[in-house]
Amino acid sequence: MPSRLQPLPRKFFERHPRIVARQLLGKVLVRRLPDGTLLSGRLVETEAYLGREGNDPAAHAYGGQTQRNAVLFGPPGHAYVYFTYGMHYCMNISCQPEGRAGCVLLRAVQPLEGVDIMAANRGMKLAADASPSRLRLIAAGPGRLCQALCIVRELDNGKDLTQIKSDLFVTDDGYKVPRVIVTPRVGITRAVDLPLRFAIAGNRFVSGKLLG
DNA sequence: CAACCGATCACCT
DNA sequence: GGTGATCGGTTGC
C-alpha cells in the first residue's frame, strides 16, 4: 500500500537533478483526491533539467527567474507545474538547495491504484481485459500523466511534496529497478544531445518506443 | 508505422 | 508576435 508510506524527504530532492531523476525511477507518485480516492503510478520515465549553473538552454530556468518559473528557485521537493501547447500540463519536481533551479520532469508512470478513474480522467473507457498497449495510453507522456492524476497548475504548482499531509507526493514501496536506460531528452530544440532522460529498461509504460 | 499538422494559450521579448 | 519539456488524429509510404 504505497499510500501508507511516507513521502520522500526533502533531502532526496536536494541533490543534482541527474541523480534525482535516476533515483525517482521505480518510486510511486501518489495523488489523493478531495474525496479520499487514491490514484498512483510507478515512475518509469523522467528527465533532468539543470539550473543556471548547469548551462542548460532547454531548461525553463535558463533565462533566470521569472514569475512562471519561480518555484524552481525555491527549496527542493516542490511541484513545478506549467501549462503548454495551449492544452497540456507538465509536472516537475524542484531539486537542489534553494537558489539553484534544477528540476526533474515526470514523463510517465505505470498505473497502480485507481486505474479506472485515471482512464476516465483521460476520456478512455477501459474494458476489464484492457491490453497493456491500451493501459499505456493512460500516463505515457508528461501531459497524459498530469491528466490521469488530476495535476493542474492552478492547484498544484508550488505544492510541497514532502509533507505527510500532502495530497500529492512520491513514496518508496521497496520496488527495485532492474535496469536503467539513459537517452537524450524528448521534445526540445536546444541541448538535444545531453543524456538526461532516464527510463526503466524494457518497461511498456514508457512514452515513445520501448527502450532496452 | 512514421511524418505531419492543428489545437490553443501562457509566457516572454 | 513568436514559441513551446505535447497529444491525437490523419495522411501517406
Side-chain angles (χ1 to χ4, degrees):
Chain A
M1 289 292 161
S3 51
R4 293 217 192 104
L5 301 180
Q6 302 259 347
L8 294 176
R10 196 171 315 286
K11 250 191 171 344
F12 181 95
F13 301 102
E14 205 166 30
R15 299 172 287 175
H16 193 281
R18 179 177 56 246
I19 304 298
V20 177
R22 162 66 185 83
Q23 293 300 319
L24 276 174
L25 291 180
K27 302 297 188 292
V28 178
L29 178 63
V30 182
R31 159 59 107 197
R32 201 190 327 270
L33 298 180
D35 71 355
T37 303
L38 285 174
L39 308 178
S40 72
R42 190 176 309 287
L43 287 162
V44 298
E45 181 184 352
T46 59
E47 279 179 358
Y49 285 86
L50 310 183
R52 297 203 76 186
E53 80 284 358
N55 193 33
D56 176 7
H60 283 185
Y62 182 65
Q65 184 169 348
T66 65
Q67 194 163 11
R68 177 205 207 189
N69 66 20
V71 173
L72 297 179
F73 292 81
H78 287 249
Y80 169 50
V81 182
Y82 68 90
F83 186 71
T84 191
Y85 289 105
M87 57 185 75
H88 297 292
Y89 294 104
C90 292
M91 174 178 171
N92 304 253
I93 305 179
S94 63
C95 299
Q96 299 181 297
E98 185 157 3
R100 302 174 66 188
C103 66
V104 173
L105 171 68
L106 307 185
R107 286 196 57 88
V109 299
Q110 172 172 354
L112 295 176
E113 298 169 280
V115 179
D116 290 342
I117 296 172
M118 292 192 279
N121 290 342
R122 298 257 317 112
M124 302 168 63
K125 287 191 174 164
L126 270 196
D129 61 347
S131 65
S133 65
R134 194 156 167 69
L135 293 172
R136 199 189 81 92
L137 295 176
I138 295 174
R144 290 172 178 148
L145 182 157
C146 285
Q147 195 180 12
L149 295 180
C150 304
I151 295 164
V152 298
R153 187 199 56 180
E154 292 79 356
L155 294 175
D156 298 311
N157 187 46
K159 204 167 261 181
D160 186 351
L161 308 178
T162 65
Q163 298 304 113
I164 187 73
K165 59 184 294 188
S166 182
D167 63 1
L168 183 61
F169 61 95
V170 184
T171 192
D172 184 351
D173 70 349
Y175 175 83
K176 299 296 182 207
V177 177
R179 192 160 60 89
V180 173
I181 293 283
V182 186
T183 77
R185 295 173 293 185
V186 176
I188 55 174
T189 58
R190 288 165 290 180
V192 292
D193 291 332
L194 294 183
L196 292 174
R197 175 183 180 222
F198 301 83
I200 296 181
N203 189 283
R204 302 165 167 282
F205 295 89
V206 168
S207 73
K209 288 191 306 186
L210 185 66
L211 299 171

